[in-house]
Amino acid sequence: ARVELVTRFYTSFLAEPQDAIDSTIYGAIDHLVGKYSADYTLGGLVMEIDLLGAYGEPLSARAGYLNQDRAIFRVVDLVTPLILTDLWSQAA
C-alpha cells in the first residue's frame, strides 16, 4: 500500500529575523529528508520511503502562507510517500 504522510513546518510570518524564515524551515526539511534518504523505515513499520516516486508521486514540498486566528504563518507541507507491505492476509 502507498500512504502519504504530510508533515507541516511553520513559523510566524513575522518571526525575526524575517530574512531567515525560509532558510530555517527548509533547513529543518533538509535534515528530515536526509534521514529519509539514509534507508529510514520508521522503525521497520514501512518497506521504504518512496523518495523518487517508484510507486507514484515522489516526495515533495508545498510552500505557502496560512492565515489562522488573525495570525499569518509561513508554511511548508512535506508530502512523504510511504510504501507498506504485509498489511492484509491473502487467501490462498
Side-chain angles (χ1 to χ4, degrees):
R2 183 178 183 280
V3 176
E4 289 186 352
L5 172 69
V6 178
T7 307
R8 175 164 283 172
F9 296 81
Y10 65 96
T11 189
S12 170
F13 177 66
L14 301 175
E16 293 293 338
Q18 290 183 0
D19 289 344
I21 291 173
D22 283 350
S23 61
T24 300
I25 289 176
Y26 282 107
I29 292 170
D30 179 60
H31 178 77
L32 186 57
V33 172
K35 296 289 186 185
Y36 288 166
S37 296
D39 198 26
Y40 191 69
T41 61
L42 298 174
L45 296 174
V46 301
M47 182 180 86
E48 68 178 88
I49 297 174
D50 194 8
L51 298 171
L52 302 177
Y55 298 94
E57 291 295 316
L59 180 134
S60 64
R62 297 180 190 124
Y65 298 92
L66 174 66
N67 187 344
Q68 181 174 341
D69 297 329
R70 298 183 188 152
I72 300 174
F73 295 91
R74 179 63 166 149
V75 174
V76 179
D77 289 339
L78 179 67
V79 181
T80 306
L82 308 174
I83 307 304
L84 297 93
T85 59
D86 301 325
L87 294 179
W88 304 280
S89 298
Q90 294 183 345

